[in-house]
Amino acid sequence: MFKLTTAAAQQVLTAAKQGGAQGLPLRLAAGRQPDGSIDYRMGFDEATEDDIRVRCDGVEVVMTPEQVPLLDEAVMDYVEIEPGQFHFIFLNPKDANYQPPTER
């Protein structure tokens, strides 16, 4: 099932607090692009009765059942891409552009 790293979970909780969205789950959506890559979207939103719910490090993540096939093996992380520039990234073996992380 989908996972958040500790760094991603901490940043999601910080963003929820800063944006006045505390208590709302993080909604994820994904769509397959023509080149086989996956486009990811996220935001804070009310959960619905039909949503799939996952709890990761204190963050409730919701998605529609249709999203599960693209997201069930994905990991969302929050990393420093360049000095001082942090971004959420998705590590997903179902993405055509997926490259497993390498140890430094």
Side-chain angles (χ1 to χ4, degrees), residues 1 15 24 34 37 46-47 53 60 67 71 74 77 87 90 102:
M1 184 41 97
L24 288 175
S37 65
E46 295 286 342
R53 298 168 186 244
E60 183 178 18
Q67 301 300 310
L71 293 171
D77 200 357
H87 297 278
F90 290 84
T102 57

Side-chain angles (χ1 to χ4, degrees), residues 11 25 30 69 71 92:
Q11 184 58 32
L71 293 171
N92 188 344

Side-chain angles (χ1 to χ4, degrees), residues 24-95:
L24 288 175
L26 179 68
R27 178 170 298 281
L28 294 179
R32 178 84 58 192
Q33 299 300 302
D35 67 355
S37 65
I38 299 174
D39 180 45
Y40 301 93
R41 298 179 189 268
M42 62 183 169
F44 297 103
D45 188 22
E46 295 286 342
T48 69
E49 190 175 293
D50 296 330
D51 282 333
I52 304 300
R53 298 168 186 244
V54 178
R55 185 161 282 286
C56 304
D57 275 329
V59 174
E60 183 178 18
V61 177
V62 296
M63 63 188 80
T64 65
E66 296 80 21
Q67 301 300 310
V68 172
L70 287 179
L71 293 171
D72 70 345
E73 294 178 35
V75 175
M76 186 171 118
D77 200 357
Y78 188 69
V79 298
E80 188 172 20
I81 303 292
E82 293 184 21
Q85 293 196 8
F86 290 84
H87 297 278
F88 287 107
I89 63 167
F90 290 84
L91 302 170
N92 188 344
K94 295 179 179 182
D95 190 317

